[in-house]
């Protein structure tokens, strides 16, 4: 309230009033400093809990020494498969187009995929669901792998599907029945509102 009063337009004011307002602002700054100091000391001496357990940092000289490591611990222990995604793609839509317009036998087709463990997780899940005659849609995959214990970015999940499609491990179907070519799949994979229309299944290989 004091700060608001000091900032309120007052038109022409006397020199005495200017001095009064300046004094109020100085008092306010001192109050803020005292509050920050009191709260910082209280937080440093407080008990911290994360993931339902008591937690302490080996070195606590400021509040951030509690918050930053405890939040990191919470994320790591809640999303313990988050580390399977190493790095994020800067322009995922552009990357999807690049992947699905590659030719078989190109360097991208032959190179090792990023996030190999995450890719195996996704491929194994789709294969298990298919063996149980369960349908898998792209939107459901994104929802599954963005939740606990994964926490993967939505677009990284779609990129995994695009790379597996390029390698002919997966087939993509629109409206559950229409098989899409790689290029035909691009507008479906690059628009979020289309993900729910794409069925994903293991591609049947001819021996």
């Amino acid at each position: 309230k004091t700060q608001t009063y000091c900032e309120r337009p007052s038109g022409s004011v006397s020199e005495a009033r200017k001095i009064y307002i300046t004094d109020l602002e100085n008092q306010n700054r001192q109050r803020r400093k005292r509050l920050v100091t009191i709260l910082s000391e209280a937080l440093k001496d407080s008990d911290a809990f994360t993931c339902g357990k008591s937690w302490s940092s080996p070195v606590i000289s400021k509040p951030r020494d509690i918050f930053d490591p405890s939040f990191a611990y919470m994320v790591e222990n809640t999303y313990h498969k988050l580390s399977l995604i190493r790095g994020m793609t800067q322009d995922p839509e552009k990357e999807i187009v690049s992947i699905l317009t590659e030719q078989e036998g190109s360097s991208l087709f032959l190179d090792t995929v990023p996030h190999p463990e995450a890719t195996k997780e996704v491929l194994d899940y789709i294969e298990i669901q298919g063996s149980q005659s369960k349908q898998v849609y792209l939107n459901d995959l994104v929802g599954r792998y963005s939740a606990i214990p994964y926490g993967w970015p939505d677009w990284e999940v779609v990129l995994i599907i695009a790379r597996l499609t390029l390698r002919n491990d997966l087939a993509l179907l629109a409206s559950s029945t229409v098989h899409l070519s790689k290029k035909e799949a691009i507008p479906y994979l690059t628009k979020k509102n289309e993900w729910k229309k794409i069925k994903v299944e293991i591609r049947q290989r001819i021996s």
Side-chain angles (χ1 to χ4, degrees), residues 165-190:
T165 302
L166 170 67
R167 292 165 177 267
N168 291 323
D169 290 317
L170 296 178
L172 303 179
L173 294 82
S175 303
S176 298
T177 56
V178 181
H179 281 264
L180 298 172
S181 68
K182 296 177 180 68
K183 288 186 179 180
E184 288 172 337
I186 290 173
Y188 289 93
L189 268 61
T190 53

Side-chain angles (χ1 to χ4, degrees), residues 82-127:
L82 178 60
S83 61
L84 298 185
I85 298 292
R86 301 180 180 89
M88 291 177 59
T89 306
Q90 294 300 315
D91 190 341
E93 292 101 323
K94 183 178 179 180
E95 182 69 9
I96 289 168
V97 174
S98 176
I99 290 168
L100 294 179
T101 52
E102 282 289 330
Q103 297 297 316
E104 294 187 18
S106 71
S107 59
L108 181 59
F109 186 85
L110 296 173
D111 286 344
T112 302
V113 294
H115 326 307
E117 294 169 294
T119 300
K120 186 176 185 305
E121 285 254 358
V122 173
L123 191 59
D124 288 350
Y125 174 75
I126 296 170
E127 190 165 14

Side-chain angles (χ1 to χ4, degrees), residues 6-192:
C6 292
E7 292 174 351
R8 185 182 303 161
S10 54
S12 179
V13 296
S14 65
E15 193 63 31
R17 185 172 178 80
K18 289 181 181 179
I19 293 172
Y20 174 67
I21 290 175
T22 300
D23 185 53
L24 283 179
E25 289 176 331
N26 288 334
Q27 290 179 35
N28 236 21
R29 278 193 288 270
Q30 293 303 316
R31 289 192 195 98
R32 185 176 289 108
K33 287 181 181 178
R34 287 197 300 273
L35 284 171
V36 169
T37 300
I38 291 168
L39 287 172
S40 295
E41 291 302 318
L43 286 168
K44 282 160 48 177
D45 295 334
S46 64
D47 296 325
F49 296 84
T50 184
C51 297
K53 299 178 181 178
S54 178
W55 184 92
S56 62
S57 176
V59 179
I60 301 176
S61 60
K62 55 187 180 297
R64 290 187 70 92
D65 294 334
I66 298 174
F67 291 118
D68 290 352
S70 62
F71 286 148
Y73 177 88
M74 180 182 68
V75 171
E76 290 169 4
N77 284 271
T78 303
Y79 296 96
H80 60 265
K81 292 194 175 185
L82 178 60
S83 61
L84 298 185
I85 298 292
R86 301 180 180 89
M88 291 177 59
T89 306
Q90 294 300 315
D91 190 341
E93 292 101 323
K94 183 178 179 180
E95 182 69 9
I96 289 168
V97 174
S98 176
I99 290 168
L100 294 179
T101 52
E102 282 289 330
Q103 297 297 316
E104 294 187 18
S106 71
S107 59
L108 181 59
F109 186 85
L110 296 173
D111 286 344
T112 302
V113 294
H115 326 307
E117 294 169 294
T119 300
K120 186 176 185 305
E121 285 254 358
V122 173
L123 191 59
D124 288 350
Y125 174 75
I126 296 170
E127 190 165 14
I128 290 169
Q129 295 299 101
S131 69
Q132 298 173 356
S133 300
K134 295 180 179 179
Q135 295 187 344
V136 179
Y137 286 86
L138 181 56
N139 197 51
D140 297 329
L141 288 171
V142 171
R144 171 183 171 81
Y145 291 107
S146 64
I148 296 171
Y150 300 96
W152 300 349
D154 293 356
W155 285 107
E156 293 303 324
V157 178
V158 178
L159 280 163
I160 287 173
I161 298 300
R163 294 185 185 104
L164 288 171
T165 302
L166 170 67
R167 292 165 177 267
N168 291 323
D169 290 317
L170 296 178
L172 303 179
L173 294 82
S175 303
S176 298
T177 56
V178 181
H179 281 264
L180 298 172
S181 68
K182 296 177 180 68
K183 288 186 179 180
E184 288 172 337
I186 290 173
Y188 289 93
L189 268 61
T190 53
K191 297 177 182 176
K192 287 189 174 186

